[in-house]
Amino acid sequence: MKETSGAATAADWRAWQESWDRQQEWYLPDREERFRVMLDMVEALVGPAPRVLDLACGTGSITDRLLKRFPEAVSTGVDLDPALLAIAEGTFAGDERVTFVTADLKDPEWTAALPYSSYDAVLTATALHWLHSGPLAALYGQLASLVREGGVFLNADHMPSGDTPRINAAERAHRHAAMDRAKDAGALDWRAWWELAAADPVLAEPTARRFALYGEHADGDTPSAEWHARTLREKGFAEARPVWCSPSDSLVLGLR
């Protein structure tokens, strides 16, 4: 990663954005396929010019793909992580289609910080496993009020089934063997990526604040896709089901 001094340039922020994507792909080799299906469902259900909430947006990976595919879309990214938000804000600086909001999804009043009272689509990926099931169910209830009637919520995350322990173990062993080979070839894992961020003159301070907020990693839950779909229906979505899955991950859609 190129070091910066003083203010980072647009190229520096884009390099950090791409570095984050590569690090995430080390864990999720089918990450782009998840994004593709997610945006397919957005287009199918709410059209090619949606107002989108990028929930727990991180560096803005979803927003990046959203705007490349749908130039007339608008996006609100919401997150609490100061380092990832710094990258997102730097990457999309000057783009009037994009707004970023700092908010804690566990705060009952977090939606008050949003610029819109409703959204065509709320999208999130590899993020809500940071929440335990109780707060996540409460969040789903809030989203049912935030997504307009006919709008969609899509959550892509690790959603293992508790009914298949041997399949789960075999899949995990196979996936981690591939990850070990990639790491031996130079791929950055999560910890190594954050060590680079902490050493960067521009990201060092927000990275320190980020670890003061979260510690090493939040201890959330990974309920099954069936749990997510059932809870979305219980919280006010008219329909909900998985629309894509891999051996380890699922993409669950809720329709208002």
Side-chain angles (χ1 to χ4, degrees), residues 3 22 57-58 61 97 107 120 160 162 218 244 248 252:
E3 290 192 358
R22 300 295 83 74
C57 65
S61 295
R97 299 170 297 176
D107 180 348
D120 301 311
W244 175 91
S248 63
V252 172

Side-chain angles (χ1 to χ4, degrees), residues 106-152:
K106 291 184 287 187
D107 180 348
E109 304 301 321
W110 72 270
T111 59
L114 299 176
Y116 303 106
S117 60
S118 68
Y119 287 85
D120 301 311
V122 176
L123 311 178
T124 188
T126 324
L128 299 189
H129 63 269
W130 284 65
L131 298 176
H132 287 287
S133 299
L136 181 55
L139 176 64
Y140 281 178
Q142 290 178 301
L143 296 180
S145 299
L146 197 59
V147 176
R148 68 161 173 83
E149 186 174 352
V152 296

Side-chain angles (χ1 to χ4, degrees), residues 24 27-41 62 65 124-127 129 154-159 243-246 248-251:
Q24 289 289 287
Y27 295 95
L28 299 160
D30 47 14
R31 185 168 178 255
E32 291 301 326
E33 177 70 3
R34 295 196 313 174
F35 287 142
R36 182 191 67 78
V37 176
M38 176 181 284
L39 296 180
D40 280 351
M41 292 298 96
I62 289 175
R65 287 149 182 83
T124 188
T126 324
H129 63 269
L154 284 144
N155 178 16
D157 213 336
H158 187 50
M159 301 181 186
V243 292
W244 175 91
C245 71
S246 73
S248 63
D249 284 52
S250 291
L251 174 62

